[in-house]
Amino acid sequence: MISQLTKTERETALFLTALLTLSGLTLGLLGRNDLLGYHGALLAVAGMSLTFLLIKDYYKPEPDPDNRAKYYDDPIKVGLVLALVWAVIGMIVGDWVAWLLVFPEATFDAGWASFGRLRPVHTSGVIFGFGGNALIATSFHVMQRTSRARLADNISPWVVVVGFNLFCLMAATGYLMGITASKEYAEPEWYADIFLTIIWVVYLVLYLRTLARREEPHIYVANWYYLSFVIVVAMLHILNNLAIPISLGHAKSYSLFSGVQDAMIQWWYGHNAVAFFLTTGFLGMMYYYLPKRAGRPIFSYRLSIISFWGIVFLYMWAGSHHLHYTALPHWVQTLGMTFSIMLLVPSWASAGNALLTLNGAWGKVRDDATLRFMMVAAVFYGLSTFEGSFMAIRPVNSLSHYTDWTVGHVHSGALGWVAMITFGSIYTLTPWIWRKERMYSNKLIELHFWLALVGTMIYVFAMWNSGIIQGLMWRAYNTDGTLAYSFIDSVAAMKPYYVARAIGGLMFLAGAIVCAYNVWKTAKLPTVTEYTPDKPPLPARGRPSAAAQAAE
Amino acid sequence: MLGKHAKLERTAIGFAIGIIIVASIGGLIEIAPLFTIDETVEEDPDMRVYTPLELAGRNIYIREGCYACHSQMIRTLQDEVERYGPYSLAVESQYDHPMLWGSKRTGPDLARLGGKYSDQWHVAHLLDPRSLVPQSVMPAYRWLARNDLDVSDMPLHLSAQKKVGVPYTDDMIANADEDAFGQANPDSEAADGFFERYGFEANARYFDGDRRKLTEMDALVAYLQSIGTLSEAASKNNEITKTIPDEGGAE
């Protein structure tokens, strides 16, 4: 990796790792009497390790200038591997906490092993670790291929990949130690939030600069979605995490907002994290890898425009449906419900666009498990967006809210849509960037497909059942007008479903491990030298190509 | 329309600005008025703030992720009001930075927990939930009784709370560590200062039952006993709604 950097780039990288080490040491010194010190140490150790790696290869020969005329795929490879590592970690923790609800004593009498601290490790691990890394890696791939231009520089992709993973690491280790801001899906504390903001700006600038180098006049659809993911996540992240730390030497901070305003901002964030992290980013993936794999153009360009702007506009109103019947003013609830229902139009437009693209390629869907992953993902996307709009209707929500139905809904989206489209894209992308003829084993892809599908079905059905039973038990009355069940009755009734859910999750986890193994083995296959499934970058206007320079 | 879009697709910056504008509208319209419309949050001049010990306990509640399984928001539904108590009002969480309304009830809602059970019940339940509720799936929190509570930073906590808008006095901030100790040691000298600052009706007890040391258990139980007691607005509101004759409306 480092041998692909020029001398100047190695110097820049060294400067940055020294800066990281220094920031880590400063944070560690400031927070020496607090848990914050550990995260300072973590950053310092990371900075020093990277510095060491750089120094070790510092005097290696510089790369062939011709390489600069090619795409830059090293950061994509690292991002993909890290995505799979986080997938396995996040899902192991997820299945573990699922079993904790069956065996609540399995906490080793230790704080870090209790449900409340492990749950965010699961959610952040799969959403940010797995999802985030997959989005970053595939976006680097898509932005280069659709622009037919190399990444704008060779340092900032590494800043994004390494920095983002350090953020994920701070998040996960922080929860275990008890560092949390308690805002769901935005739990990391102020210093990690600032760190991520810096990384995110680098990401956005890299994206815009790479697009600016494009030789294709139009920006391809997939990039719109990735761009909206990068931009809107930044808006959400910054507003929802505004807080005042108790001192610069402490991890703890207090949110700038309180009560009803805080709740609205949190769920404006929370719901749009679903929208712009778990939906638009992955739609970007779908709009590139699905037509590529199917060998067919996107069904309708017009539909993709409508669904894109529909999603960007409508989603931002929908967050308040998380707060039906609460102390949030009624008018905001009503707006949230209304826009949630309208949201079905652009959502189904996207899902329909994907499925209609497959028209004429159904034979491939039958034979190719990779394409089938993407097809099933589009179906689950359609189903869970329908379910979401349905659950946002106030009276439906009175039953579903606070129950496992919500958990089932989230997982039908997260497992069925997000993870499946990611796995499909990974299987498409892996042989491509590692320059292999094919994946190591198609049978293992097939096995993974069925583990994932059956696992998701078991999970979602279990949670539908438990959620609806809970909701009905809570509101059931005896004929004399008294409540029919105590709360603990509803807890006891959940047991079989909690077992089933944990088994479904275990199957899904097993599938992810199979995927990681398959990717690993693929990377070890002999490299195909003349294998070029993609068109090479175009030599830029006014920018002499490396080949031309060499010829001089 | 399509022609215009084709133009937009040619500029990355234009596209980015378009996204920012289109994505901002919903949030602006739904969030900004919540800060400006007075009726959003009810008035309660008698509302009290969390004591330092309760605030420390609240931070433990946050640290342990209790909010992942327990809501603190009773909805305006009949079965919820009958099961848990008067439905929650916005004013009740106006000093909650951040709010802990929650999103899931793996366990019951806690918005009206304060004063519902004894301190001993809470301690026994946190040490071994299944000794009191055999079918419970809650983890045991035995380390809370083992961990000493660090109150030395409490002035910093109160000061930050004041910065985000909670009306703590300078006196409260300066003595926050003493007051946290005093609330859990009612026979100590520190307790006098605590009562002076937080009123004589404030709860000062040996919350964890152990007179020798101040533990995280003291703080958490003090917090649990305070939930829903900062303001009486909800119970007063409940009395009023009870007197309104039933109009036969289903909602």
Side-chain angles (χ1 to χ4, degrees), chain A residues 117 184 214 254 258 301, chain B residues 5 9-10 64 94 103 157:
Chain A
R117 293 202 203 176
E184 281 185 87
R214 76 187 179 282
Y254 289 105
S258 71
Y301 165 70
Chain B
H5 199 271
E9 282 164 35
R10 288 161 173 266
E64 302 301 348
Q94 69 169 336
S103 61
H157 284 267

Side-chain angles (χ1 to χ4, degrees), chain B residues 11 79 88-89 125 198 200:
Chain B
T11 143
D79 57 287
S88 301
L89 297 181
H125 184 247
Y198 294 91
F200 285 94

Side-chain angles (χ1 to χ4, degrees), chain A residues 5 10-11 13 20 22 55 64 76 87 107 131 154 184 204 237 258 317 347 360 366-367 428 433 442-443 472 510:
Chain A
L5 301 178
R10 286 176 206 179
E11 281 163 9
L20 177 65
L22 208 65
I55 291 174
D64 183 352
I76 305 176
T107 54
N154 299 309
E184 281 185 87
L204 177 61
H237 171 76
S258 71
W317 298 74
S347 300
R366 182 192 59 212
D367 299 332
T428 309
I433 48 168
N442 284 330
K443 282 201 175 133
L472 291 176

Side-chain angles (χ1 to χ4, degrees), chain A residues 312-335:
Chain A
V312 173
F313 178 66
L314 297 174
Y315 247 113
M316 299 303 268
W317 298 74
S320 51
H321 70 223
H322 288 250
L323 299 166
H324 280 327
Y325 301 98
T326 67
L328 181 75
H330 208 258
W331 65 268
V332 195
Q333 300 178 21
T334 308
L335 275 179

